[in-house]
Amino acid sequence: MTARTYIPASDAMAGVRSVDPALTFTGFGPLPAVEATSHGGPWDRTGDVRTLTFSDGTTARETITSTGAPAHYSYRLDGLSNVLGRLVHHAESSWRFIPETEGSRWEWTFTFATKRYRTTLLRVAILPLWTRYMTRILARTVREVKTRFNV
């Protein structure tokens, strides 16, 4: 997924990391919304961990696995207690913020490490929904960050 904004790359990264997932992960079809996040402070250093609580009562853990200010950060999602946890061991996500002449280009990737014999089910049942969900999340995230920078 990609987006472009007039926000400089370093500000974009800080803005994205500071957005509450409950504002952007609002649910889509059978995919639950994020209702709460356990981490109250900045989520900006390698090793920082937060727990997400979803609208269906399940949880997952997010851990920042690398950060390279101002250009990128990556995180791992694991400990999924919902139906997705029956299909995958974990997910890896990465944000990259590439400086452009006016602002920056944002690239967001998400990959799943599937459990044995679950790849086809994930590919057929979840990924089409997940791709549409990510598109909506990215648009909401861009809106939230733009609001913070009055763009």
Side-chain angles (χ1 to χ4, degrees), residues 113-143:
T114 57
K115 291 184 176 178
R116 193 172 184 174
Y117 306 119
R118 308 278 193 326
T119 302
T120 301
L121 182 57
L122 180 74
R123 191 173 291 146
V124 171
I126 302 296
L127 290 184
L129 284 172
W130 187 256
T131 301
R132 294 197 330 243
Y133 190 30
M134 277 185 65
T135 300
R136 291 169 185 237
I137 294 165
L138 180 59
R140 286 186 194 100
T141 303
V142 167
R143 267 195 313 273

mmCIF file of all heavy atoms in Angstrom, residues 113-143:
data_model
loop_
_atom_site.group_PDB
_atom_site.id
_atom_site.type_symbol
_atom_site.label_atom_id
_atom_site.label_comp_id
_atom_site.label_asym_id
_atom_site.label_seq_id
_atom_site.Cartn_x
_atom_site.Cartn_y
_atom_site.Cartn_z
ATOM 1 N N ALA A 113 2.947 -15.052 8.366
ATOM 2 C CA ALA A 113 3.649 -16.334 8.458
ATOM 3 C C ALA A 113 2.588 -17.366 8.822
ATOM 4 O O ALA A 113 2.159 -17.452 9.974
ATOM 5 C CB ALA A 113 4.742 -16.276 9.514
ATOM 6 N N THR A 114 2.140 -18.109 7.821
ATOM 7 C CA THR A 114 1.025 -19.028 8.033
ATOM 8 C C THR A 114 1.447 -20.305 8.744
ATOM 9 O O THR A 114 2.596 -20.737 8.663
ATOM 10 C CB THR A 114 0.361 -19.414 6.694
ATOM 11 O OG1 THR A 114 1.340 -19.991 5.839
ATOM 12 C CG2 THR A 114 -0.256 -18.220 6.018
ATOM 13 N N LYS A 115 0.495 -20.873 9.410
ATOM 14 C CA LYS A 115 0.696 -22.178 10.029
ATOM 15 C C LYS A 115 0.609 -23.241 8.943
ATOM 16 O O LYS A 115 0.035 -23.013 7.876
ATOM 17 C CB LYS A 115 -0.350 -22.424 11.114
ATOM 18 C CG LYS A 115 -0.153 -21.516 12.309
ATOM 19 C CD LYS A 115 -1.121 -21.820 13.428
ATOM 20 C CE LYS A 115 -0.809 -20.952 14.633
ATOM 21 N NZ LYS A 115 -1.751 -21.188 15.732
ATOM 22 N N ARG A 116 1.142 -24.384 9.246
ATOM 23 C CA ARG A 116 1.184 -25.486 8.285
ATOM 24 C C ARG A 116 -0.212 -25.829 7.771
ATOM 25 O O ARG A 116 -1.161 -25.915 8.546
ATOM 26 C CB ARG A 116 1.810 -26.695 8.969
ATOM 27 C CG ARG A 116 2.184 -27.768 8.021
ATOM 28 C CD ARG A 116 2.959 -28.814 8.748
ATOM 29 N NE ARG A 116 3.393 -29.789 7.779
ATOM 30 C CZ ARG A 116 4.191 -30.776 8.038
ATOM 31 N NH1 ARG A 116 4.671 -30.915 9.247
ATOM 32 N NH2 ARG A 116 4.529 -31.621 7.109
ATOM 33 N N TYR A 117 -0.311 -25.979 6.466
ATOM 34 C CA TYR A 117 -1.544 -26.354 5.766
ATOM 35 C C TYR A 117 -2.641 -25.287 5.838
ATOM 36 O O TYR A 117 -3.799 -25.577 5.598
ATOM 37 C CB TYR A 117 -2.103 -27.692 6.281
ATOM 38 C CG TYR A 117 -1.107 -28.814 6.242
ATOM 39 C CD1 TYR A 117 -0.726 -29.456 7.407
ATOM 40 C CD2 TYR A 117 -0.530 -29.216 5.040
ATOM 41 C CE1 TYR A 117 0.203 -30.492 7.387
ATOM 42 C CE2 TYR A 117 0.396 -30.245 5.007
ATOM 43 C CZ TYR A 117 0.756 -30.881 6.174
ATOM 44 O OH TYR A 117 1.666 -31.897 6.151
ATOM 45 N N ARG A 118 -2.281 -24.066 6.173
ATOM 46 C CA ARG A 118 -3.303 -23.017 6.285
ATOM 47 C C ARG A 118 -3.146 -21.924 5.216
ATOM 48 O O ARG A 118 -3.955 -21.020 5.136
ATOM 49 C CB ARG A 118 -3.250 -22.347 7.661
ATOM 50 C CG ARG A 118 -3.290 -23.270 8.870
ATOM 51 C CD ARG A 118 -4.652 -23.697 9.243
ATOM 52 N NE ARG A 118 -4.920 -24.332 10.494
ATOM 53 C CZ ARG A 118 -4.215 -25.158 11.224
ATOM 54 N NH1 ARG A 118 -3.010 -25.466 10.910
ATOM 55 N NH2 ARG A 118 -4.689 -25.692 12.324
ATOM 56 N N THR A 119 -2.108 -22.004 4.394
ATOM 57 C CA THR A 119 -1.818 -20.952 3.420
ATOM 58 C C THR A 119 -2.968 -20.734 2.445
ATOM 59 O O THR A 119 -3.382 -19.596 2.208
ATOM 60 C CB THR A 119 -0.523 -21.281 2.646
ATOM 61 O OG1 THR A 119 0.536 -21.424 3.598
ATOM 62 C CG2 THR A 119 -0.181 -20.185 1.656
ATOM 63 N N THR A 120 -3.511 -21.786 1.885
ATOM 64 C CA THR A 120 -4.591 -21.649 0.910
ATOM 65 C C THR A 120 -5.830 -21.025 1.546
ATOM 66 O O THR A 120 -6.445 -20.115 0.970
ATOM 67 C CB THR A 120 -4.946 -23.007 0.275
ATOM 68 O OG1 THR A 120 -3.764 -23.533 -0.359
ATOM 69 C CG2 THR A 120 -6.046 -22.868 -0.748
ATOM 70 N N LEU A 121 -6.167 -21.459 2.722
ATOM 71 C CA LEU A 121 -7.326 -20.902 3.418
ATOM 72 C C LEU A 121 -7.125 -19.406 3.680
ATOM 73 O O LEU A 121 -8.028 -18.597 3.452
ATOM 74 C CB LEU A 121 -7.571 -21.649 4.729
ATOM 75 C CG LEU A 121 -8.785 -21.211 5.544
ATOM 76 C CD1 LEU A 121 -10.069 -21.320 4.724
ATOM 77 C CD2 LEU A 121 -8.893 -22.042 6.802
ATOM 78 N N LEU A 122 -5.941 -19.034 4.134
ATOM 79 C CA LEU A 122 -5.645 -17.616 4.371
ATOM 80 C C LEU A 122 -5.741 -16.839 3.061
ATOM 81 O O LEU A 122 -6.364 -15.774 3.002
ATOM 82 C CB LEU A 122 -4.253 -17.449 4.972
ATOM 83 C CG LEU A 122 -3.861 -16.005 5.261
ATOM 84 C CD1 LEU A 122 -4.602 -15.495 6.489
ATOM 85 C CD2 LEU A 122 -2.361 -15.887 5.462
ATOM 86 N N ARG A 123 -5.151 -17.376 2.010
ATOM 87 C CA ARG A 123 -5.129 -16.690 0.714
ATOM 88 C C ARG A 123 -6.537 -16.506 0.152
ATOM 89 O O ARG A 123 -6.858 -15.456 -0.389
ATOM 90 C CB ARG A 123 -4.260 -17.484 -0.259
ATOM 91 C CG ARG A 123 -3.954 -16.728 -1.535
ATOM 92 C CD ARG A 123 -2.962 -17.457 -2.403
ATOM 93 N NE ARG A 123 -1.667 -17.428 -1.743
ATOM 94 C CZ ARG A 123 -0.783 -18.405 -1.804
ATOM 95 N NH1 ARG A 123 -1.025 -19.486 -2.487
ATOM 96 N NH2 ARG A 123 0.371 -18.301 -1.181
ATOM 97 N N VAL A 124 -7.391 -17.481 0.299
ATOM 98 C CA VAL A 124 -8.736 -17.425 -0.285
ATOM 99 C C VAL A 124 -9.733 -16.680 0.615
ATOM 100 O O VAL A 124 -10.511 -15.863 0.139
ATOM 101 C CB VAL A 124 -9.247 -18.864 -0.572
ATOM 102 C CG1 VAL A 124 -10.701 -18.856 -0.975
ATOM 103 C CG2 VAL A 124 -8.390 -19.511 -1.642
ATOM 104 N N ALA A 125 -9.683 -16.945 1.914
ATOM 105 C CA ALA A 125 -10.717 -16.412 2.816
ATOM 106 C C ALA A 125 -10.378 -15.068 3.439
ATOM 107 O O ALA A 125 -11.270 -14.258 3.679
ATOM 108 C CB ALA A 125 -10.992 -17.426 3.922
ATOM 109 N N ILE A 126 -9.101 -14.805 3.708
ATOM 110 C CA ILE A 126 -8.746 -13.617 4.471
ATOM 111 C C ILE A 126 -8.072 -12.531 3.627
ATOM 112 O O ILE A 126 -8.416 -11.351 3.742
ATOM 113 C CB ILE A 126 -7.823 -13.984 5.661
ATOM 114 C CG1 ILE A 126 -8.499 -15.001 6.582
ATOM 115 C CG2 ILE A 126 -7.395 -12.743 6.429
ATOM 116 C CD1 ILE A 126 -9.761 -14.501 7.273
ATOM 117 N N LEU A 127 -7.112 -12.889 2.790
ATOM 118 C CA LEU A 127 -6.327 -11.869 2.098
ATOM 119 C C LEU A 127 -7.135 -10.906 1.229
ATOM 120 O O LEU A 127 -6.826 -9.713 1.223
ATOM 121 C CB LEU A 127 -5.191 -12.511 1.306
ATOM 122 C CG LEU A 127 -4.080 -13.101 2.163
ATOM 123 C CD1 LEU A 127 -2.947 -13.626 1.299
ATOM 124 C CD2 LEU A 127 -3.558 -12.101 3.178
ATOM 125 N N PRO A 128 -8.168 -11.349 0.503
ATOM 126 C CA PRO A 128 -8.945 -10.358 -0.257
ATOM 127 C C PRO A 128 -9.580 -9.299 0.655
ATOM 128 O O PRO A 128 -9.552 -8.103 0.342
ATOM 129 C CB PRO A 128 -10.013 -11.197 -0.964
ATOM 130 C CG PRO A 128 -9.416 -12.560 -1.055
ATOM 131 C CD PRO A 128 -8.606 -12.722 0.201
ATOM 132 N N LEU A 129 -10.104 -9.723 1.796
ATOM 133 C CA LEU A 129 -10.662 -8.775 2.761
ATOM 134 C C LEU A 129 -9.563 -7.923 3.380
ATOM 135 O O LEU A 129 -9.732 -6.713 3.565
ATOM 136 C CB LEU A 129 -11.382 -9.529 3.892
ATOM 137 C CG LEU A 129 -12.744 -10.107 3.575
ATOM 138 C CD1 LEU A 129 -13.208 -10.981 4.727
ATOM 139 C CD2 LEU A 129 -13.735 -8.984 3.343
ATOM 140 N N TRP A 130 -8.452 -8.556 3.734
ATOM 141 C CA TRP A 130 -7.361 -7.848 4.388
ATOM 142 C C TRP A 130 -6.816 -6.730 3.495
ATOM 143 O O TRP A 130 -6.523 -5.639 3.976
ATOM 144 C CB TRP A 130 -6.247 -8.819 4.772
ATOM 145 C CG TRP A 130 -5.201 -8.144 5.579
ATOM 146 C CD1 TRP A 130 -3.966 -7.745 5.160
ATOM 147 C CD2 TRP A 130 -5.303 -7.736 6.945
ATOM 148 N NE1 TRP A 130 -3.297 -7.114 6.180
ATOM 149 C CE2 TRP A 130 -4.108 -7.097 7.292
ATOM 150 C CE3 TRP A 130 -6.304 -7.847 7.912
ATOM 151 C CZ2 TRP A 130 -3.868 -6.571 8.560
ATOM 152 C CZ3 TRP A 130 -6.072 -7.328 9.170
ATOM 153 C CH2 TRP A 130 -4.867 -6.705 9.480
ATOM 154 N N THR A 131 -6.693 -6.989 2.204
ATOM 155 C CA THR A 131 -6.186 -5.975 1.287
ATOM 156 C C THR A 131 -7.111 -4.764 1.247
ATOM 157 O O THR A 131 -6.649 -3.617 1.305
ATOM 158 C CB THR A 131 -6.020 -6.570 -0.121
ATOM 159 O OG1 THR A 131 -5.110 -7.677 -0.034
ATOM 160 C CG2 THR A 131 -5.477 -5.559 -1.106
ATOM 161 N N ARG A 132 -8.408 -4.996 1.184
ATOM 162 C CA ARG A 132 -9.364 -3.876 1.201
ATOM 163 C C ARG A 132 -9.330 -3.166 2.549
ATOM 164 O O ARG A 132 -9.429 -1.939 2.615
ATOM 165 C CB ARG A 132 -10.766 -4.376 0.863
ATOM 166 C CG ARG A 132 -10.820 -4.878 -0.572
ATOM 167 C CD ARG A 132 -12.183 -5.044 -1.194
ATOM 168 N NE ARG A 132 -13.294 -5.368 -0.364
ATOM 169 C CZ ARG A 132 -14.013 -6.485 -0.440
ATOM 170 N NH1 ARG A 132 -13.690 -7.412 -1.318
ATOM 171 N NH2 ARG A 132 -15.045 -6.679 0.345
ATOM 172 N N TYR A 133 -9.189 -3.921 3.618
ATOM 173 C CA TYR A 133 -9.110 -3.337 4.961
ATOM 174 C C TYR A 133 -7.871 -2.446 5.083
ATOM 175 O O TYR A 133 -7.935 -1.325 5.571
ATOM 176 C CB TYR A 133 -9.084 -4.470 5.986
ATOM 177 C CG TYR A 133 -9.252 -4.062 7.433
ATOM 178 C CD1 TYR A 133 -9.981 -2.946 7.810
ATOM 179 C CD2 TYR A 133 -8.679 -4.835 8.435
ATOM 180 C CE1 TYR A 133 -10.137 -2.603 9.152
ATOM 181 C CE2 TYR A 133 -8.837 -4.509 9.773
ATOM 182 C CZ TYR A 133 -9.563 -3.387 10.130
ATOM 183 O OH TYR A 133 -9.713 -3.064 11.450
ATOM 184 N N MET A 134 -6.726 -2.931 4.616
ATOM 185 C CA MET A 134 -5.496 -2.144 4.668
ATOM 186 C C MET A 134 -5.640 -0.835 3.904
ATOM 187 O O MET A 134 -5.141 0.205 4.348
ATOM 188 C CB MET A 134 -4.316 -2.939 4.104
ATOM 189 C CG MET A 134 -3.686 -3.880 5.083
ATOM 190 S SD MET A 134 -2.192 -4.684 4.418
ATOM 191 C CE MET A 134 -1.082 -3.311 4.217
ATOM 192 N N THR A 135 -6.295 -0.871 2.756
ATOM 193 C CA THR A 135 -6.508 0.340 1.969
ATOM 194 C C THR A 135 -7.285 1.364 2.788
ATOM 195 O O THR A 135 -6.942 2.551 2.816
ATOM 196 C CB THR A 135 -7.259 0.000 0.667
ATOM 197 O OG1 THR A 135 -6.468 -0.939 -0.080
ATOM 198 C CG2 THR A 135 -7.508 1.238 -0.172
ATOM 199 N N ARG A 136 -8.321 0.916 3.471
ATOM 200 C CA ARG A 136 -9.119 1.813 4.315
ATOM 201 C C ARG A 136 -8.320 2.318 5.511
ATOM 202 O O ARG A 136 -8.420 3.488 5.891
ATOM 203 C CB ARG A 136 -10.377 1.094 4.791
ATOM 204 C CG ARG A 136 -11.351 0.830 3.669
ATOM 205 C CD ARG A 136 -12.447 -0.116 4.106
ATOM 206 N NE ARG A 136 -13.290 -0.446 2.980
ATOM 207 C CZ ARG A 136 -14.597 -0.242 2.952
ATOM 208 N NH1 ARG A 136 -15.216 0.268 3.985
ATOM 209 N NH2 ARG A 136 -15.287 -0.558 1.882
ATOM 210 N N ILE A 137 -7.534 1.445 6.122
ATOM 211 C CA ILE A 137 -6.717 1.841 7.275
ATOM 212 C C ILE A 137 -5.698 2.899 6.855
ATOM 213 O O ILE A 137 -5.507 3.895 7.554
ATOM 214 C CB ILE A 137 -6.010 0.621 7.896
ATOM 215 C CG1 ILE A 137 -7.034 -0.337 8.490
ATOM 216 C CG2 ILE A 137 -4.988 1.055 8.942
ATOM 217 C CD1 ILE A 137 -6.473 -1.719 8.799
ATOM 218 N N LEU A 138 -5.057 2.679 5.719
ATOM 219 C CA LEU A 138 -4.065 3.641 5.243
ATOM 220 C C LEU A 138 -4.708 5.008 5.006
ATOM 221 O O LEU A 138 -4.162 6.038 5.413
ATOM 222 C CB LEU A 138 -3.382 3.136 3.975
ATOM 223 C CG LEU A 138 -2.318 4.064 3.386
ATOM 224 C CD1 LEU A 138 -1.198 4.335 4.383
ATOM 225 C CD2 LEU A 138 -1.766 3.470 2.092
ATOM 226 N N ALA A 139 -5.876 5.030 4.383
ATOM 227 C CA ALA A 139 -6.566 6.302 4.143
ATOM 228 C C ALA A 139 -6.902 6.998 5.466
ATOM 229 O O ALA A 139 -6.721 8.221 5.597
ATOM 230 C CB ALA A 139 -7.834 6.065 3.325
ATOM 231 N N ARG A 140 -7.371 6.250 6.446
ATOM 232 C CA ARG A 140 -7.683 6.836 7.761
ATOM 233 C C ARG A 140 -6.414 7.351 8.447
ATOM 234 O O ARG A 140 -6.421 8.403 9.088
ATOM 235 C CB ARG A 140 -8.372 5.813 8.666
ATOM 236 C CG ARG A 140 -9.797 5.533 8.290
ATOM 237 C CD ARG A 140 -10.454 4.615 9.330
ATOM 238 N NE ARG A 140 -11.687 4.104 8.808
ATOM 239 C CZ ARG A 140 -11.844 2.896 8.274
ATOM 240 N NH1 ARG A 140 -10.841 2.056 8.223
ATOM 241 N NH2 ARG A 140 -13.013 2.514 7.809
ATOM 242 N N THR A 141 -5.337 6.601 8.324
ATOM 243 C CA THR A 141 -4.076 7.012 8.931
ATOM 244 C C THR A 141 -3.571 8.310 8.312
ATOM 245 O O THR A 141 -3.158 9.230 9.016
ATOM 246 C CB THR A 141 -3.022 5.891 8.796
ATOM 247 O OG1 THR A 141 -3.527 4.697 9.400
ATOM 248 C CG2 THR A 141 -1.707 6.276 9.442
ATOM 249 N N VAL A 142 -3.621 8.397 7.001
ATOM 250 C CA VAL A 142 -3.208 9.627 6.312
ATOM 251 C C VAL A 142 -4.054 10.796 6.814
ATOM 252 O O VAL A 142 -3.520 11.861 7.140
ATOM 253 C CB VAL A 142 -3.319 9.474 4.779
ATOM 254 C CG1 VAL A 142 -3.202 10.825 4.081
ATOM 255 C CG2 VAL A 142 -2.268 8.494 4.264
ATOM 256 N N ARG A 143 -5.371 10.613 6.909
ATOM 257 C CA ARG A 143 -6.251 11.685 7.398
ATOM 258 C C ARG A 143 -5.876 12.117 8.812
ATOM 259 O O ARG A 143 -5.823 13.312 9.117
ATOM 260 C CB ARG A 143 -7.714 11.237 7.374
ATOM 261 C CG ARG A 143 -8.442 11.600 6.117
ATOM 262 C CD ARG A 143 -9.963 11.477 6.261
ATOM 263 N NE ARG A 143 -10.441 10.266 6.873
ATOM 264 C CZ ARG A 143 -10.706 9.129 6.229
ATOM 265 N NH1 ARG A 143 -10.532 9.051 4.932
ATOM 266 N NH2 ARG A 143 -11.159 8.087 6.877
#
